[in-house]
């Protein structure tokens, strides 16, 4: 059999990454494009634009993502990738963001000139030039209307897997319909960022997959179909603008002729549905019911496999990308890596070595200090700003750099454990944690994770679980069969660290204290 490879892309908040894997799913080539440094003309910070007059309004230029793909494919070419060997393409992307295509877009995508860059030809293809992204939190009014439409937040969570969240796509669409009706009317199709990425390769608007679609507050997670009452609450003719959702491993057909002519892809290279970064991470980590996963990226997430959906108001239940009859539980924390980097920059002049030294030299429990840092409007809890506490109560600042450093890491992990327990997860002696994302290469940070959860932490050989999950999806969607059998040749996760013997004694009371602190803060901020 002729050698074949698989291409995966990950369109995250800060960058676009690409990887080519072999038939044995071994990494052959990688490349990336950083939006802030490689595309400075778009003037983003961390890949997004924060409105100067309203810091809750956060978007990203849609065309920037297209230009990023042009650059990425050129960089993969420079890496020596033979595109003619690629059998299928798939991808993952930041969840909840939305892209608004102008009328006639399928004709444009289907007739691209291979001699020109994509971003040149698609410059006028968006009814809304800047896409709302997951960091935006300006749709509180629309969230309440969505909940009201079906009888309250609990009922909405029962139907869609989540109560209404400001960053979710349904409320974002509703805001655009009400505030920018001309934009809404000029929009032929609305894509999620994942299906937008897929559309570029497919040469026509790609359908939304059910896993990413279940993070919109619009889909009935039981039937895997759009809920008409919720669609009507957002805008007219929305079903036509969204299209029909499909299973995550759907083979959507051959790649666009643009890529055949420009990059020498084979005409029979297939495009597999793209999904959100969290479902893709579940695939990349090969998660099952015996593990809890913690992804440490731009946003931090905690998730696990569910056989049946549960109704929760603090967290999310999404459709499982691997098993159409299963689900995945997800807790999302918006203030992840960029918040850790801010404290690192302030305390350690940008040095992770110094940061880790301070973290390692400060005792577990941090002398009774707790720090909570929310650079952008947090989801869990719904707060913004910095909050510092010593043993007796709130303080304006900590007295040393090492206390500040340990406070940001402990505070983030204590929150994750508290909300996971509130979700119903029971921690016991058999609990194992799989860490992924950019910070999972930092052993000092992982040791705090292990101690706070009082459980061993494992890592995989490759940390980019979303991108790898999409690579596995590219092959899975092409060949089918058993997903576990497909991945059987991959190495097992490696033990990174074990909790210290006093971990339960130190952090059990801190989790309880965290709950009390949050209760008072939320009460004061209402």
């Amino acid at each position: 059999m002729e050698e074949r490879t698989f291409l995966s892309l990950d369109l995250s908040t800060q960058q676009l990454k690409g990887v080519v894997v072999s038939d044995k799913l071994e990494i052959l080539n990688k490349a990336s494009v950083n939006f802030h440094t490689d595309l400075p003309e778009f003037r983003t910070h961390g890949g997004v634009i924060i409105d100067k007059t309203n810091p809750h309004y956060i978007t990203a230029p849609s065309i920037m993502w297209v230009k990023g793909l042009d650059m990425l494919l050129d960089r993969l070419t420079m890496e020596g990738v033979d595109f003619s060997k690629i059998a299928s393409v798939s991808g993952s992307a930041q969840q909840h963001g939305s892209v608004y295509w102008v009328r006639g877009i399928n004709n444009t995508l289907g007739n691209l000139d291979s001699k020109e860059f994509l971003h040149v030809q698609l410059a006028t293809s968006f009814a809304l030039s800047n896409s709302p992204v997951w960091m935006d939190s300006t749709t509180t009014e629309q969230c309440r209307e969505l909940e009201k439409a079906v009888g309250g937040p609990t009922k909405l969570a029962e139907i869609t897997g989540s109560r209404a969240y400001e960053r979710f796509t349904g409320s974002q669409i509703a805001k655009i319909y009400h505030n920018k009706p001309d934009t809404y009317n000029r929009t032929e199709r609305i894509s999620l960022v994942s299906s937008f990425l897929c559309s570029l390769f497919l040469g026509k608007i790609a359908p939304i997959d059910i896993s990413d679609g279940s993070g919109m507050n619009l889909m009935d997670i039981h039937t895997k179909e759009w809920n008409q009452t919720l669609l009507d609450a957002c805008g007219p003719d929305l079903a036509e603008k969204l299209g029909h959702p499909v299973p995550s491993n759907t083979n959507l057909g051959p790649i666009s002729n643009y890529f055949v002519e420009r990059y020498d892809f084979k005409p029979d290279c297939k495009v597999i549905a793209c999904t959100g970064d969290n479902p893709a991470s579940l695939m990349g980590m090969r998660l099952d019911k015996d593990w809890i996963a913690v992804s440490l990226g731009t946003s931090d997430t905690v998730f696990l496999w569910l056989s049946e959906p549960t109704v929760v108001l603090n967290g999310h239940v999404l459709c499982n990308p691997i098993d159409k009859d299963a689900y995945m539980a997800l807790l999302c924390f918006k203030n992840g890596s960029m918040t850790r980097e801010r404290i690192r920059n302030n305390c350690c002049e940008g040095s992770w070595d110094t940061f880790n030294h301070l973290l390692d030299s400060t005792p577990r429990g941090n002398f009774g200090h707790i720090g909570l840092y929310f650079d952008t409007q947090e989801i869990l809890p719904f707060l913004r700003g910095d909050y510092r506490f010593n043993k007796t109560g709130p303080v304006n600042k900590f007295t040393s750099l090492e206390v500040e450093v340990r406070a940001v890491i402990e505070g983030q992990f204590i929150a994750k454990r508290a909300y996971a327990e509130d979700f119903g997860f029971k921690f016991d002696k058999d609990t194992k944690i799989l860490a992924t994302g950019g910070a999972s290469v930092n052993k000092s940070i992982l040791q705090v994770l292990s101690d706070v959860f009082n459980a061993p932490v494992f890592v995989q050989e490759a940390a980019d679980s979303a991108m790898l999950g999409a690579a596995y999806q590219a092959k899975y969607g092409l060949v089918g069969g058993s997903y576990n059998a497909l991945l059987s040749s991959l190495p097992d996760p490696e033990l990174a660290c074990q909790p210290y013997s006093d971990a339960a004694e130190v952090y059990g009371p801190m989790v309880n204290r965290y709950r009390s602190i949050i209760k008072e803060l939320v009460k004061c901020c209402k």
Side-chain angles (χ1 to χ4, degrees), residues 140-155:
T140 301
E141 179 182 349
Q142 289 76 25
C143 286
R144 301 294 80 81
E145 290 299 318
L146 273 180
E147 292 174 345
K148 181 180 177 181
V150 293
T154 301
K155 185 62 178 179

Side-chain angles (χ1 to χ4, degrees), residues 20-70:
V20 176
V21 300
S22 70
D23 212 6
K24 295 181 180 179
L25 302 177
E26 300 165 326
I27 296 175
L28 302 176
N29 306 94
K30 290 197 298 184
S32 64
V33 174
N34 183 285
F35 298 131
H36 178 68
T37 57
D38 292 327
L39 294 167
E41 63 269 31
F42 293 102
R43 299 182 179 182
T44 65
H45 178 72
V48 299
I49 295 173
I50 302 175
D51 189 87
K52 293 180 180 179
T53 60
N54 182 359
H56 300 292
Y57 181 48
I58 303 175
T59 61
S62 307
I63 198 65
M64 178 183 72
W65 296 332
V66 181
K67 191 170 184 179
L69 178 59
D70 285 325

Side-chain angles (χ1 to χ4, degrees), residues 399-412:
T399 56
S400 67
L401 298 180
E402 53 264 43
V403 167
E404 188 95 71
V405 164
R406 179 161 279 270
V408 67
I409 301 301
E410 285 190 343
Q412 288 183 332

Side-chain angles (χ1 to χ4, degrees), residues 44 164 171 175 186 207 243 278 348 353 407 410 426 433 464 488 503:
T44 65
S171 59
K175 187 183 77 169
R186 287 190 297 113
N278 291 304
C348 311
D353 288 340
E410 285 190 343
K426 305 295 184 184
I433 298 172
D464 293 322
S488 60

Side-chain angles (χ1 to χ4, degrees), residues 209-441:
D209 83 293
I210 58 173
S211 291
D212 207 0
S214 60
M216 299 173 70
N217 277 143
L218 294 177
M219 179 182 290
D220 186 324
I221 62 173
H222 307 274
T223 65
K224 315 299 191 293
E225 302 285 350
W226 305 123
N227 179 280
Q228 191 60 50
T229 300
L230 293 169
L231 294 181
D232 292 342
C234 293
D237 305 317
L238 186 50
E240 289 75 16
K241 293 182 188 293
L242 293 176
H244 192 270
V246 299
S248 301
N249 63 344
T250 300
N251 184 336
L252 298 175
I255 197 168
S256 165
N257 195 55
Y258 173 87
F259 295 93
V260 175
E261 294 181 355
R262 187 173 179 88
Y263 297 101
D264 201 30
F265 282 83
K266 287 289 181 64
D268 61 352
C269 173
K270 304 302 182 185
V271 179
I272 310 302
C274 299
T275 191
D277 52 3
N278 291 304
S281 287
L282 181 138
M283 292 188 288
M285 292 185 290
R286 295 168 279 158
L287 196 67
D288 62 32
K289 61 183 180 180
D290 297 324
W291 293 71
I292 182 170
V294 178
S295 178
L296 303 171
T298 306
S299 63
D300 288 347
T301 51
V302 176
F303 46 108
L304 52 108
W305 186 290
L306 293 178
S307 299
E308 297 289 340
T310 57
V311 179
V312 294
L313 295 181
N314 287 320
H316 318 290
V317 177
L318 304 176
C319 295
N320 193 303
I322 299 171
D323 184 344
K324 64 181 179 60
D325 296 320
Y327 298 85
M328 59 178 288
L330 173 67
L331 292 162
C332 185
F333 304 84
K334 288 170 72 172
N335 293 276
S337 63
M338 286 192 281
T339 301
R340 289 187 287 271
E341 289 166 9
R342 172 171 68 89
I343 301 302
R344 177 204 63 186
N345 294 341
N346 291 345
C347 296
C348 311
E349 299 182 342
S351 168
W352 281 118
D353 288 340
T354 303
F355 183 96
N356 292 341
H357 174 73
L358 294 176
L359 183 60
D360 294 339
S361 63
T362 311
R364 292 176 295 284
N366 206 12
F367 306 106
H369 298 89
I370 291 180
L372 308 173
Y373 304 84
F374 309 120
D375 293 1
T376 60
Q377 185 69 58
E378 187 52 85
I379 305 159
L380 299 171
F382 193 72
L383 294 170
R384 190 169 187 266
D386 292 349
Y387 304 90
R388 298 173 177 87
F389 301 83
N390 62 19
K391 289 182 178 180
T392 59
V395 294
N396 291 327
K397 65 179 182 179
F398 291 132
T399 56
S400 67
L401 298 180
E402 53 264 43
V403 167
E404 188 95 71
V405 164
R406 179 161 279 270
V408 67
I409 301 301
E410 285 190 343
Q412 288 183 332
F413 291 150
I414 287 170
K416 291 169 179 55
R417 175 178 160 181
Y419 282 105
E421 289 177 340
D422 293 346
F423 198 96
F425 190 85
K426 305 295 184 184
F427 292 90
D428 56 34
K429 61 181 179 60
D430 297 321
T431 299
K432 292 176 288 187
I433 298 172
L434 185 61
T436 184
S440 66
V441 300

